[in-house]
Amino acid sequence: MNNQEKEPLFSARNIKLLTAPLHKDNPITIQVLGICSALAITVKLKPALVMALSVTIVVAISNVVIAALRSYIPDRIRIIVQLVVIATLVIMVDQILKAYAFDVSKQLSVFVGLIITNCILMGRLEAFAMANRPWPSFLDGLGNGAGYGLILVIVAFFRELLGSGTIFGYPVMEKIGIYTTGYENNGMFILPPMALILVGLIIWAQRSKDRSLIEEKQS
Amino acid sequence: MNSLRKQLDKLRPHFSEGGRFQKLHSVFEGFETFLFVPDKVTFKGSHIRDNMDLKRTMTVVIIALVPAILFGCYNTGLQHFRSTGTDASVLQLFWYGFLRFLPLIIVSYITGLGIEFAAAQIRGHEINEGFLVTGILIPLIMPIDVPLWMLALATAFSVILGKEVFGGTGMNIFNPALLARAFIFFSYPAWMTGDKVWTKGLVSGANVIDGYSGATPLGLCAQGHTADLPSFMEMFIGTIPGSVGETSVPAILIGALILIVTGIGSWKIMLSMFGGGLTMALLLNALGTNEFMQLPFYYHFVMGGFAFGAVFMATDPVTASQTEKGKWIYGFMAGILSILFRVLNPAYPEGVMLAILLMNLFAPLIDYFVIQSNIKRRIRRLQAVNQ
């Protein structure tokens, strides 16, 4: 116990908690969690960014809370305790969004509420916060939120640029003057299947760049 | 021919191991087998190699497509001159259509073969000929007015994401040509639906005479104008607006005959698909709550891409069911779904494409159950003998 107390706040191990989910342990492309929301709210960049922030905040704070409570939670009711913590935070995020960013909140519609069912949250609480101290859990939450957000923003960038011709609502394609050459926005990027294909392409690119991520063939 | 053979033999050392162009080995191989029947023999096990390899198979399909291509060129010209109200000789019509259709073929082949060649080089595979047929099928199921860059994009999409990611020719789940069409259908719906795109020059609207709408029969039906339909004979012959190769039933039937006689296309799939369409059409006739549903059942076979889909798309040996019993089920379901989508979903006037793609997805499952039931039957027979 004493040994751990002396560990510096940003030791190599803790930094790794923060950076691993961005690439080698990404919640979407490696663990394949949270796909549902990645398809639903990535049509435009702004909602995607807000969603990424909301998830990051919720997963980081709930990780801290559960990590602090972990020795007092009876094993048999831990899921319900975790849900209570997540639900409280999600409702708070939802209310804040409604108060200060109503238009984005309307675009996100039920998907803010559905953060509760996002597998990444329960996954982190079960796999990490229940067995670690609050500070590493906080970093783990931030890292996973950021890893989720990173993919969301990449997908949303392409979907908004190619589907609507804008970036954060700014009409990039129109300013370039590409429409006069006969170019048209691709309607399929607005439909959810294209998000799935984009996530697949990201997984493809990631694995062909880092071959250690490819699973070995089961004989 | 002999001198060509000698030339190839002279070039071969450069492309085999240790040669200067070793990396382009598969390109050489590709051209050689295109020109000559490969003389390779198997070197272990008792396998027989048939001269009828993939390349010959593909060539037969292309020959079967020739009538539809020729009629497509003629009809493209016919529709254009009808829309402008000018008279022209048959040869003029054909030549006009041919010149408009040629760019589509060139773009489709260059994009698709380019990707196919590149993929073969990267993977160290031999170039396979899967794209020879896909490359001509894609322009045949496009509206003549589709912008060329869209066609190139759709072709690239279908070859990379429909075929290469699954492992290349023979490994794909979906029919690549239909995938290209589906891509444009969902990405640029304005270019795949509506009245204007099926006739060359109608989008710009110059010199178009009054009274020419350019609507396809299915478009008319979806809008509820069944009274304006062309006559059955006209739709059968194919002098109607539509995708380039799909309009003429006689031309497609000639192709079907070639495919069946050579044993390349499965007659079971074609027949059962028509059977499925017939069943569904009769069922809708019996229900008959609107004009489209009351349409005589035989109209469905000559409208839209039903015949073309049944003969050239559903029979694709890679994506269709492999088992003989499975082929009946696969074709029948594709027929039923085609007419169901077409009549009951006004958002998708052409249901054949989606029906076949959906059945492509189910083909492995159908095969699985056919094989399992066969195994069960044999086990029972064995038990009966043993008792």
Side-chain angles (χ1 to χ4, degrees), chain A residues 60 105 199:
Chain A
S105 162
V199 171

Side-chain angles (χ1 to χ4, degrees), chain B residues 148-159:
Chain B
L148 294 178
W149 67 269
M150 279 181 198
L151 184 67
L153 199 66
T155 311
F157 176 86
S158 78
V159 173

Side-chain angles (χ1 to χ4, degrees), chain B residues 67-213:
Chain B
I69 296 170
L70 294 180
F71 190 88
C73 292
Y74 164 74
N75 190 40
T76 302
L78 181 74
Q79 294 305 324
H80 172 76
F81 284 106
R82 256 191 205 169
S83 74
T84 54
T86 37
D87 282 328
S89 70
V90 171
L91 207 65
Q92 263 178 312
L93 293 178
F94 177 80
W95 187 241
Y96 177 89
F98 177 72
L99 287 183
R100 298 303 174 282
F101 185 47
L102 199 60
L104 299 189
I105 303 181
I106 294 171
V107 166
S108 144
Y109 268 122
I110 288 181
T111 323
L113 286 179
I115 294 168
E116 196 103 5
F117 270 53
Q121 301 307 318
I122 292 167
R123 294 180 168 177
H125 285 183
E126 280 179 33
I127 293 165
N128 35 43
E129 303 70 22
F131 195 75
L132 279 183
V133 168
T134 310
I136 188 80
L137 281 177
I138 290 175
L140 279 176
I141 53 173
M142 292 289 164
I144 189 72
D145 233 5
V146 68
L148 294 178
W149 67 269
M150 279 181 198
L151 184 67
L153 199 66
T155 311
F157 176 86
S158 78
V159 173
I160 297 174
L161 290 178
K163 212 161 89 175
E164 291 305 331
V165 290
F166 293 108
T169 306
M171 303 294 194
N172 44 319
I173 302 175
F174 297 111
N175 186 320
L178 281 180
L179 217 54
R181 189 187 150 102
F183 179 81
I184 295 191
F185 184 80
F186 287 109
S187 296
Y188 309 104
W191 291 97
M192 198 47 94
T193 46
D195 298 345
K196 305 250 175 203
V197 292
W198 312 101
T199 307
K200 192 77 202 172
L202 210 58
V203 175
S204 57
N207 309 324
V208 174
I209 55 164
D210 287 346
Y212 185 90
S213 81

Side-chain angles (χ1 to χ4, degrees), chain A residues 188-205:
Chain A
M188 199 144 125
F189 276 85
I190 296 176
L191 303 172
M194 206 59 199
L196 198 65
I197 292 172
L198 280 173
V199 171
L201 289 176
I202 293 171
I203 293 178
W204 182 9

Side-chain angles (χ1 to χ4, degrees), chain A residues 5-19:
Chain A
E5 296 277 4
K6 278 177 196 161
E7 195 179 336
L9 278 186
F10 290 101
S11 66
R13 202 178 71 99
N14 284 348
I15 292 291
K16 211 176 157 232
L17 287 177
L18 205 56
T19 54

Side-chain angles (χ1 to χ4, degrees), chain A residues 25-84:
Chain A
D25 201 19
N26 190 287
I28 293 186
T29 61
I30 305 294
Q31 300 171 20
V32 198
L33 297 174
I35 295 292
C36 168
S37 56
L39 305 192
I41 42 87
T42 48
V43 177
K44 293 271 164 67
L45 261 169
K46 203 170 155 195
L49 206 62
V50 172
M51 182 71 173
L53 279 176
S54 312
V55 169
T56 310
I57 291 167
V58 172
V59 74
I61 297 179
S62 62
N63 255 6
V64 172
V65 174
I66 292 295
L69 292 175
R70 71 186 188 284
S71 17
Y72 308 107
I73 301 174
D75 228 25
R76 302 179 79 178
I77 58 160
R78 65 180 196 284
I79 300 284
I80 205 81
V81 174
Q82 289 164 6
L83 272 181
V84 168

